């Protein structure tokens, strides 16, 4: 979650659709994404989840990449929710985990400790192997697998950016 806005610069940039919560913070994030011509579906694990998830699945079937923040709109930070696993099951698309880190950052005081890198700071994206969720997979088992993978990637990104 803390890397959400920086994902605009990942190698999986276009075309993407992002889920953003219906909260006031979610509105700010949605406006930021729309500025960069990224499509936004509003909803989250706490408000409008099923409708937003169905809309994302339709977008995926239309050929768009769909983007989730696995820890949901309220956290806790780095604890994955199951929506990403449901979407992977429903679409047959793999989950491509990724993380970002920068050497010099400002961390916001929000629950997710949103990362804002300083200009010209050394930074890195780290991508994990695609996770293919079987159609009849145990949701909680795969949710924990996504969570562990994402957290390991975040730690790896931090390590890489701070080498030297």
């Amino acid at each position: 979650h803390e890397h959400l806005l920086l994902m605009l610069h990942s190698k999986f940039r276009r075309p993407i659709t992002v889920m953003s919560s219906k909260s006031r913070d979610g509105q700010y994030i949605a406006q930021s994404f729309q500025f960069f011509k990224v499509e936004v579906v509003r909803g989250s694990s706490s408000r409008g989840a099923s409708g937003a998830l169905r809309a994302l699945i339709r977008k995926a079937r239309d050929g768009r990449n769909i983007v989730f923040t696995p820890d949901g709109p309220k956290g806790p930070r780095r604890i994955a929710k199951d929506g990403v696993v449901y979407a992977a099951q429903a679409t047959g698309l793999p989950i491509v985990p990724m993380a970002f880190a920068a050497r010099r950052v400002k961390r916001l005081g929000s629950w997710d400790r949103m990362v804002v890198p300083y200009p010209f700071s050394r930074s890195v994206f780290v991508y994990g192997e695609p996770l293919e969720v079987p159609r009849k997979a145990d949701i909680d088992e795969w949710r924990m697998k996504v969570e562990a993978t994402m957290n390991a990637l975040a730690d790896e990104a931090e390590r890489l950016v701070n080498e030297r």
Side-chain angles (χ1 to χ4, degrees), residues 56-58 60-61 66 84-94 135:
L56 279 179
I57 291 168
R58 281 192 301 275
R61 289 181 178 149
I66 55 176
V84 67
V85 178
Y86 283 125
Q89 273 187 324
T91 63
L93 295 173
R135 203 58 138 163

Side-chain angles (χ1 to χ4, degrees), residues 14-116:
R14 300 282 191 265
I16 61 173
T17 301
V18 176
M19 183 186 290
S20 181
S21 75
K22 291 185 175 184
S23 68
R24 186 177 326 142
D25 287 348
Q27 179 62 33
Y28 297 137
I29 290 168
Q31 289 171 340
S32 298
F33 277 125
Q34 288 167 343
F35 176 80
F36 289 100
K37 310 271 190 277
V38 172
E39 188 173 18
V40 178
V41 170
R42 301 297 301 276
S44 63
S45 59
S46 58
R47 289 176 49 197
S50 60
L53 186 57
R54 282 192 306 273
L56 279 179
I57 291 168
R58 281 192 301 275
K59 298 295 182 182
R61 289 181 178 149
D62 289 342
R64 298 184 67 83
N65 294 308
I66 55 176
V67 177
F68 282 82
T69 53
D71 50 8
K74 295 180 182 176
R77 181 174 171 255
R78 294 192 176 186
I79 304 295
K81 304 289 189 288
D82 52 13
V84 67
V85 178
Y86 283 125
Q89 273 187 324
T91 63
L93 295 173
I95 298 169
V96 181
M98 63 180 87
F100 173 88
R103 183 171 283 173
R104 294 183 57 237
V105 300
K106 165 85 173 153
R107 285 198 177 263
L108 303 182
S110 55
W111 69 266
D112 60 356
R113 309 277 296 137
M114 178 76 73
V115 170
V116 180

Side-chain angles (χ1 to χ4, degrees), residues 123-144:
S123 61
V124 64
F125 277 98
V126 179
Y127 301 88
E129 291 295 318
L131 302 173
E132 304 272 349
V133 179
R135 203 58 138 163
K136 296 188 184 220
D138 178 271
I139 298 295
D140 198 49
E141 176 185 329
W142 277 88
R143 181 201 59 78
M144 289 186 294

